[in-house]
Amino acid sequence: MNHPTSSASKLSYLPFIYIVWADGLLTDSELEIVRYTLRNDSTLREQERTELFKMLDPQRKPDSKTFKNWKESIQNNKLTIDFEKEYPLSDYAIRHARKQFPDFKGNEEGLQHIEHNLGLQPGQYRHFFQDSGGEVVEKPSFDSHKMRRILDGSYDSLIRRIQKVLKENELYQWELVKDLPAIRLKTNRQVVNLGEKGFGPLAFPGKYGGTGDLQAYGHIFENLIYAGGSTAVKFGVQYGLFGGSIANLGSQKHHDAWLRDLGRGQLLGCFAMTEEDHGSNVRNVKTTATYKREQKSLVVHTPAPKDCKIYIGGAGSARLATVFAQLIVKGTNHGVHAVVVPLRDEAGELLPGIRIEDNGYKAGLNGVDNGRIWFDQVEVPVFNLLDRFGSIDKEGKYHSPIKKDSKRFFTMLGTLVGGRICVGKGAVGGSKLGLAIAIRYAYSRRQFGKDIHRQENLLIEYPTHQMRLFPRLAKTYALHFALENLMERYANADPDDDVRELEAEAAALKSVASWHGNDTLQECREACGGKGYMSRNRIPELKADLDIFATFEGDNYVILQLAAKGVLSSFQTDFSADSFFGVIKFLRRKWADTLVTYNPIYTNNVDVSHLYSREFHREAFSYRRRRLTFSLAQRMNRMFKKRVTPYEAFLKVQTHMIQIAQAYAEERCLLAMHQVIEKTKEEDEKFMLKKLSALYALSTIYDHHGWYLEQGYISGTKSKAIRQLIHRHVQQMVPDGPALVEAFGIPEQYLELPLLG
Amino acid sequence: MNHPTSSASKLSYLPFIYIVWADGLLTDSELEIVRYTLRNDSTLREQERTELFKMLDPQRKPDSKTFKNWKESIQNNKLTIDFEKEYPLSDYAIRHARKQFPDFKGNEEGLQHIEHNLGLQPGQYRHFFQDSGGEVVEKPSFDSHKMRRILDGSYDSLIRRIQKVLKENELYQWELVKDLPAIRLKTNRQVVNLGEKGFGPLAFPGKYGGTGDLQAYGHIFENLIYAGGSTAVKFGVQYGLFGGSIANLGSQKHHDAWLRDLGRGQLLGCFAMTEEDHGSNVRNVKTTATYKREQKSLVVHTPAPKDCKIYIGGAGSARLATVFAQLIVKGTNHGVHAVVVPLRDEAGELLPGIRIEDNGYKAGLNGVDNGRIWFDQVEVPVFNLLDRFGSIDKEGKYHSPIKKDSKRFFTMLGTLVGGRICVGKGAVGGSKLGLAIAIRYAYSRRQFGKDIHRQENLLIEYPTHQMRLFPRLAKTYALHFALENLMERYANADPDDDVRELEAEAAALKSVASWHGNDTLQECREACGGKGYMSRNRIPELKADLDIFATFEGDNYVILQLAAKGVLSSFQTDFSADSFFGVIKFLRRKWADTLVTYNPIYTNNVDVSHLYSREFHREAFSYRRRRLTFSLAQRMNRMFKKRVTPYEAFLKVQTHMIQIAQAYAEERCLLAMHQVIEKTKEEDEKFMLKKLSALYALSTIYDHHGWYLEQGYISGTKSKAIRQLIHRHVQQMVPDGPALVEAFGIPEQYLELPLLG
């Protein structure tokens, strides 16, 4: 099709016709407005009019070549548009025609009628006339496939294996299921299938189909989040918590008895630790397991109604439960131990003495059958005591390789730290999926305009929108690397190593990651507007599923304080409550004569090279952790002198402690990023990682700029310079957004959502 | 029952027996541990042993008098407990006995066995031995009923009337309904019932059963939030949006035709403004209403699939829709007008040319039947044009009392501003309910302990927990008063008044209130731990329902920018896109030679009386708004000189604009609080309001402390002093927490939740 553009009149209408078409589809109203003007334009010859009508025929869409010709004709005239005019486009259109036909008068009034009635605003068409209006979505500066390999590390093939399963079995297609029995059934089928496919026992010893590889297990968990929060969490309950308790707290005989079946998903179990009235206070659970010598049995009992086990995932379907109870042998309480208690027979009927009440609908994770469990004098063979850290011999005598109760307790809990890291990884997975959705949407949705032809700004071109997404994207990368780094060290730790530092790190990163997940998904919801509120677009479910990550496997506030105690004592004492004294004594010894100072040359340095330097970032993060620790030690010391009890003292500094633990986690993230940068060989990807690391570092420093200013660590001028640099930096990263989420390697099937269609 | 405490041995056991009982219920394990020691204590006489066993008999619970006697015996000995000892309680117990029997040796080993095996920790029993251990839950410092009257203002009796309806009709009992048809049916029944009871047409003219009282309508809306988010929003759709569009955009004939029936809930309608591809860009909706002169009709048409109306509440049930469309008369587009289009016949069947697709499950508000609507050349009488601001006469000529298209458009939208204030009020209502739940829970739940007798800290005694709830509570009060203040001025404004300032204020407060609602409910969820995640405890639904408040009735980011433009121009120009020039010219004139300075004497002033003074708060808030405005004007000026287009310039300062609008809203809240304080006569309540106002002011200043430090407005020392004062202030408010939420006057029926049972 050929649209001649040779007459002056036609040239003057062209910009309008172009914009009408560029708007994607000709609407009645647009068409009618232009036609009206054409009909009434007495300067037009009849043939011109006919040709112009043809150019507007909705049945004769210009092909892309014609369209491109029009565009070139409009743009290649070395004219600039004058936005100060009342009708900038009409003015431009006539000057455009006069460029070829200098004497052309033109139907200025008619054009203005169109401009006015179509409600054309500079924002809608400025792109055609300005250099800056070129496509923002330039090529990314790096290769997303290479970046993906850096993120996946040595687990590349494992991840592809699980993703193949997710893709090929329609059981893993995400779908919105609101009916409780239906979603639970589906979730259980997934968990069984994952066992059959060999993913369940990954972290178990090789004999039971595993590889003893906790890090592999973490990657599976993260990928299952993409399939659905319930899938991941129920998988975690069956293989991580239930399976893990038997693998880690039991001995060979328990492994032989249960691991094979449970690893294949043939024997469903649950992990019954939390009690209704002792949520975070596991050490004081009230459930008892009392040894009966004659029967060689343990009697498991719930003393009072509110001592029931609560929120137990799998309570609705499990045949066995690992129950945490006070072990009483001959009138002596040996503290919390784990006992395996059968809940249901093979037909799924509850056994005598077991009462289970469903927790009903939750905000999310409704595929997980949480419930409350009461035990009424339930007798099990003493065999069922998971006895790696405490056993009862044939004479009914209690033995433990760890003499001190508190140490034994924390050693037992310590074997479960892997779960906490997985929760962190799950939260990061959720953040990745949310960001992938919101970023793809932001690069396809035009806020005040629409579809195929460039017309109005993409959402991502708005600075506010960039600031909502990019700093969170950078933090997601940082958390990913920090958790991988931790998981690797944790998985490779010797069983006899002192893992207190790893435990503190797991607690701190789990908290920071879960809050980051909630914050990111909320922002992604809002960044997708009304579409983000529709359940079929995934974000609502994802957000509701992840919400509880801030609470389960240890409430963030509680475990951040444990982490802070570790940081305070440089991991020299236990995290238990009775170590308050130790911590304080240690602090007095270590910190009383230490002074945390900063480099005053830094305070006013606003050179971009300095602001971007990893040394500055490391110094700033480390200063924050050390300074917070030092000032806490000072406060504690002052309280000591006033004879404040340690309990009261720790109560008073609670918020200070939370800050220390967060600062510690933030520093771990930064250092993990830096380590990856050091190791990375590929130039483009290394440079991209540097950009992400800088954005993470600067926006974290800016999050705390008030604190840094209070300390005099940075000046007001430097604080402003950091803010400006963040904005500039984020803007420069716009071309890389899609590739950065591409590199997460989220299976494409989970991104086929209506809002991206 | 009498427990003699006369022997030394018995005295030494008493602290332990006391604690075992105080623990609420004797558990097997606790009992067995103490009994074991008693059996093996060779220093006991047989009668002492028998008596001690009796004191431990679970069947013979000591009455409260005995219990009190024990407590006094333990406490009134002028001894202090030494927490530096390895076994502080055993040490104390023996000293306690020796106080009366100086030569008593005691079974130290036995007591230590108990202390060790019960896992007693100082935190569990310190309350019995310290003065500070008294009940924190002291009497509030004010009367919650009086405070409630201050909050309700003159709407006291109206609020009681709606609450009576909510209480007496079981239709308004909150229940968890997940099934879409069931929850929609219930919601529709509620909306019809509210119409029958006369609450629908409150804001309509008196002739149609109303009082023309928008402020009354706002109170109803807030109370309906307590009954359920869907109830409130569907009520808002029917009476506020649909009814409001006919009342405000229509003329007498439309009122006569529809208002009476729709006000009684007999004629359900919807409000079809938003389009799929033009979410925030209402002015450029694509739906057309083309005038046909011969038929004296309008043809309403959806040009392209993605020009459909979307998220239309009531699409699933409405008989009529107020449709916003480009009005084309004889080839001239007169801009967006509202046309009433019938969707269904009396039997509920869709009419020809109407296509409706349900939006399906949303994150929340599932009682609202949102859907997409397409019109295929739907012809309606020209009568249906809501013609207050634009009409077509018999000759087919268009008339409008407002000549300028853009002014007409914003005038039309302006009549809908009431809805935006209601959204703000709804978000505040949701915050109130969330806080009432979380605060009641925090005063009943003991984190590391349990029930009847004082044993461990209430959640609210933890400083971190106080900091999570109290600043948000203070902000909720501030927003309540700000919205009431605005609603009152808006409701009393003359139709011809310049309401641009009120519109800007509504936009800014709606945004700040909706974000506050989301933030508060998230914090409340986490503060209630696992219980906050169970749907039956209300918080998950409430949170999901309110989530969209940040988006509907104007996306927060979009309307904050409109508000900011108003602030920038001191409300002298329109908020429309084409007023960029005007705004900038205005700014250059007004600000170029203004200098915003601050009082340097304030910078280092850390006197408590200064930090608490309302003058300081007002000065600090006003400085922030003015300084942000000034620096924006400077930036704009610099860009002007560089010939940056206004569009680009506004794009660059987007985040700056958002800050201005927020600062403006925050200041409005502060000033509203101060006004209420001035007006309040009751001394205690006035003092409480001062405390709330101070907390709101100081925590808002601290939220921006980085900015104030950057500006040099406060020094580092002052910033720290503010932080410390907030902590102290919050702690002092603890006794007032329950009364502060009591004063919200939330119907008790909505607080009867399992987690508070």
Side-chain angles (χ1 to χ4, degrees), chain A residues 599-620 674 694 697-698 701 713-715 717-719 721-722 725:
Chain A
N599 186 346
I601 304 170
Y602 277 11
T603 312
N604 285 297
N605 191 341
V606 295
D607 289 350
V608 172
S609 64
H610 162 71
L611 294 179
Y612 269 139
S613 77
R614 294 205 290 289
E615 290 65 34
F616 163 57
H617 303 158
R618 272 199 300 272
E619 220 265 5
H674 287 190
L698 292 171
I701 291 170
Y713 185 82
I714 58 173
S715 66
T717 314
K718 183 164 185 168
S719 177
I722 291 172
L725 188 59

Side-chain angles (χ1 to χ4, degrees), chain B residues 545-565:
Chain B
D545 285 349
L546 255 72
D547 187 348
I548 197 67
F549 283 34
T551 302
F552 72 10
E553 299 269 330
D555 178 89
N556 284 358
Y557 273 92
V558 174
I559 65 176
L560 278 175
Q561 281 171 73
L562 297 185
K565 281 173 199 158

Side-chain angles (χ1 to χ4, degrees), chain A residues 23 25 27-30 32-33 36 83 113 116-117 121 123-124 126 130 132 176 178 276-277 279-281 283-284 286 288 303-304 306-307 311 328 330-333 358-365 405 445 447-450 456-457 462-464 468 515 518 522-523 525-526 529-531 533-536 540 543-545 547-548 550-551 557-558 577 581 640 645 647-648 651 654-655 658 702 705-707 709-710 716 719-720 723 727 757, chain B residues 23 25 27 29-30 32-33 36 83-84 113 116-117 121 123-124 126 130 132 176 178 276-277 279-281 284 286 288 301 303-304 306-307 311 328 330-333 358-365 405 445 447-450 456-457 462-464 468 515 518 522-523 525-526 529-531 533-536 540 543-545 547-548 550-551 557-558 577 581 645 647-648 651 654-655 658 702 705-707 709-710 716 719-720 723 727 757:
Chain A
D23 205 17
L25 282 158
T27 69
D28 268 13
S29 63
E30 286 175 349
E32 196 44 41
I33 287 159
Y36 175 84
F83 289 104
H113 175 84
H116 176 70
N117 282 294
Q121 288 156 35
Q124 286 176 288
R126 69 188 174 91
Q130 290 179 0
S132 68
L176 187 68
K178 285 285 178 181
E276 178 155 11
D277 260 359
S280 297
N281 191 0
R283 198 174 172 182
N284 285 341
K286 294 295 177 190
T288 49
K306 289 210 164 179
D307 296 331
Y311 317 129
I328 318 278
K330 292 194 208 166
T332 296
N333 183 355
D358 198 82
N359 278 144
Y361 276 103
K362 305 180 295 290
L365 298 181
D405 278 12
R445 168 86 174 178
Q447 183 154 25
F448 282 63
K450 74 180 185 193
E456 240 299 350
N457 276 351
Y462 292 97
T464 46
R468 295 168 91 163
W515 276 331
N518 287 343
Q522 180 65 32
E523 202 65 49
R525 199 301 284 156
E526 293 179 36
K531 294 235 158 86
Y533 195 63
M534 302 296 127
S535 299
R536 65 182 71 159
K543 199 158 89 73
D545 286 349
D547 187 348
I548 198 65
T551 302
Y557 273 92
V558 174
F581 296 113
F640 249 89
T645 65
Y647 185 90
E648 292 287 341
L651 204 60
Q654 256 199 331
T655 50
I658 300 287
Y702 198 73
H705 72 141
W707 183 87
L709 284 159
E710 264 183 18
S719 177
K720 287 181 203 167
R723 183 177 63 227
H727 276 84
Chain B
D23 205 18
L25 283 159
T27 67
S29 64
E30 286 174 348
E32 195 45 38
I33 287 159
Y36 175 83
F83 288 103
E84 302 273 341
H113 174 83
H116 176 71
N117 280 294
Q121 288 158 32
Q124 285 175 287
R126 67 188 177 92
Q130 289 178 2
S132 68
L176 187 69
K178 286 285 178 180
E276 178 155 9
D277 259 359
S280 297
N281 191 2
N284 286 340
K286 295 293 176 189
T288 48
H301 186 60
K306 288 209 166 182
D307 296 330
Y311 316 132
I328 318 278
K330 294 192 206 165
T332 296
N333 183 357
D358 198 82
N359 277 144
Y361 276 104
K362 307 181 292 293
L365 297 180
D405 279 11
R445 169 87 174 179
Q447 183 155 26
F448 280 64
K450 74 178 182 195
E456 241 299 356
N457 278 349
Y462 293 97
T464 44
R468 295 167 91 163
W515 275 331
N518 287 342
Q522 180 65 32
E523 201 64 51
R525 201 300 285 155
E526 293 180 35
K531 294 233 157 82
Y533 195 63
M534 302 295 124
S535 299
R536 63 180 74 160
K543 198 158 90 72
D545 285 349
D547 187 348
I548 197 67
T551 302
Y557 273 92
V558 174
F581 296 113
T645 65
Y647 186 90
E648 292 285 342
L651 205 59
Q654 253 200 335
T655 51
I658 299 286
Y702 198 73
H705 71 140
W707 184 85
L709 284 159
E710 264 182 18
S719 176
K720 285 180 204 168
R723 183 176 64 227
H727 275 84

Side-chain angles (χ1 to χ4, degrees), chain A residues 413-430:
Chain A
L413 285 195
T415 57
L416 304 168
V417 162
R420 218 163 254 175
I421 309 179
C422 282
V423 169
K425 278 192 74 71
V428 169

